[in-house]
Amino acid sequence: MARHRIQGPDGATWTVRRRWLPWRRPISLREMLHSPSAPSGGAGDVPPDDEASEPGLVLQVLQLTVGVALWLAIGAGKLILYTLAVVLVLVIWLLDTGLQLVVLPIMLIARVAGLARWPVQIEREYKHIRTDYADGFGAAESLREDLSAQVAAGLIIAPPA
């Protein structure tokens, strides 16, 4: 089994696993999908102004024209911004994946030869808590079992957010 999922004493889901990749990504897609969003501070409704007079037809047409032009400009800007963001994320992802494909065989050979240590990672509800290291593949399995038992017993706690 590649990973252990443990229910902590507080009801949170913990994951203890041996990592094969040489480094942990600073932000993963899984963390982004499972991260809570910030509460929105909704603005209250503005009370209607009793003394407001109706604008003339020329002013209404001018406001409509400016509004549509702004809407189109903002929409085009958003489209360009979103396209650039997607392209940037894809380029970074491709570079990271290519680098990991190059480094992974080297790290596996180093770990099997005993030149590098095996990382065992602990996560709580998809958030990285800590990483411990073991000297061999079997030692990493034992460490994973021990850490899983400690998590289930409530001996490992998550730092405050």
Side-chain angles (χ1 to χ4, degrees):
M1 176 189 268
R3 73 177 60 170
H4 288 170
R5 290 202 187 271
I6 303 113
Q7 194 77 17
D10 60 349
T13 303
W14 292 72
T15 304
V16 181
R17 64 187 174 123
R18 183 176 35 221
R19 271 202 357 249
W20 290 82
L21 296 174
W23 59 81
R24 189 180 81 78
R25 290 185 173 135
I27 246 188
S28 67
L29 182 61
R30 183 174 53 169
E31 287 178 356
M32 287 190 296
L33 291 176
H34 293 286
S35 65
S37 59
S40 62
D45 291 329
V46 178
D49 189 5
D50 292 338
E51 297 178 8
S53 62
E54 281 195 34
L57 181 61
V58 174
L59 187 57
Q60 285 181 347
V61 169
L62 181 64
Q63 286 176 342
L64 180 65
T65 306
V66 170
V68 168
L70 281 175
W71 180 75
L72 288 173
I74 291 171
K78 282 183 180 180
L79 180 65
I80 292 170
L81 181 68
Y82 293 155
T83 304
L84 287 176
V86 166
V87 167
L88 180 67
V89 167
L90 283 176
V91 166
I92 290 172
W93 177 80
L94 283 172
L95 288 173
D96 182 53
T97 302
L99 187 60
Q100 286 193 19
L101 286 174
V102 169
V103 173
L104 182 63
I106 298 167
M107 286 305 299
L108 282 177
I109 291 169
R111 287 180 182 154
V112 169
L115 301 173
R117 302 175 77 196
W118 284 89
V120 178
Q121 182 172 301
I122 303 172
E123 296 176 350
R124 180 178 188 265
E125 294 184 345
Y126 303 105
K127 183 172 168 67
H128 180 260
I129 301 299
R130 78 178 202 213
T131 302
D132 291 350
Y133 295 89
D135 288 328
F137 191 77
E141 176 68 26
S142 314
L143 179 60
R144 188 177 69 188
E145 296 289 335
D146 292 343
L147 291 174
S148 296
Q150 289 178 18
V151 166
L155 299 176
I156 297 178
I157 59 171

